[in-house]
Amino acid sequence: QVQLVESGGGLVQPGGSLRLSCAASGRIFRIVAMGWYRQAPGKQRELVATLPTGATALYADSVKGRFTISRDNAKNTVSLQMNSLKPEDSAVYYCKVVTTWLNTQVNSWGQGTQVTVSS
C-alpha cells in the first residue's frame, strides 16, 4: 500500500497564495506520476495539474499561469503553489500518485485538503 499525507490547505482571500504538499510512502517501486485534483460541492473531481516522471507538467486551463506543480523525487513529495487565487478555486484538493509495484500500476489518493478562497 501507498500512504499519502497532504498538508497546506486553508482559508485565503482572493488574490492570495497557498502551497499544498503531499508526501508518499510505503510500497513504491517506481512513481509514474504525481498530481493534484480538486472537487467542489456538486461538481465532479477534476484534474488541476499532473507531473509525470521524466515529462513536462500538464495543467487545467483554468489554472495555467497561476499554479505551479513541482516534485522532490528524493523525498517522494509533490507540491502545488497556487497564486492569484480566485473564489472559483475553492474546493477539496486531492493528491494522486501513480506507482508501480510488482508490475502492477497502483493509483493512490490522499485524504483531501480544503481550500477556501473568500473575502
Side-chain angles (χ1 to χ4, degrees):
Q1 290 182 339
V2 177
Q3 294 79 42
L4 302 180
V5 178
E6 301 172 5
S7 61
L11 173 65
V12 65
Q13 292 186 343
S17 298
L18 281 176
R19 186 177 180 85
L20 306 181
S21 294
C22 173
S25 62
R27 296 195 297 186
I28 300 172
F29 176 70
R30 185 173 72 90
I31 293 179
V32 176
M34 304 183 83
W36 292 91
Y37 287 70
R38 67 187 181 188
Q39 187 167 19
K43 295 188 177 181
Q44 290 188 334
R45 190 173 297 188
E46 64 176 2
L47 172 70
V48 176
T50 185
L51 186 50
T53 300
T56 57
L58 176 67
Y59 295 92
D61 288 342
S62 60
V63 307
K64 284 181 181 177
R66 300 188 297 122
F67 291 11
T68 302
I69 188 171
S70 60
R71 285 173 54 175
D72 184 334
N73 293 325
K75 297 181 179 179
N76 288 343
T77 60
V78 60
S79 297
L80 184 69
Q81 178 66 41
M82 304 184 293
N83 299 327
S84 302
L85 282 161
K86 305 175 181 180
E88 51 264 42
D89 293 318
S90 298
V92 177
Y93 283 68
Y94 296 92
C95 172
K96 178 184 177 182
V97 177
V98 183
T99 59
T100 60
W101 180 262
L102 299 178
N103 295 320
T104 299
Q105 184 165 296
V106 178
N107 296 326
S108 302
W109 292 89
Q111 78 279 8
T113 185
Q114 178 70 48
V115 171
T116 302
V117 185
S118 175
S119 55

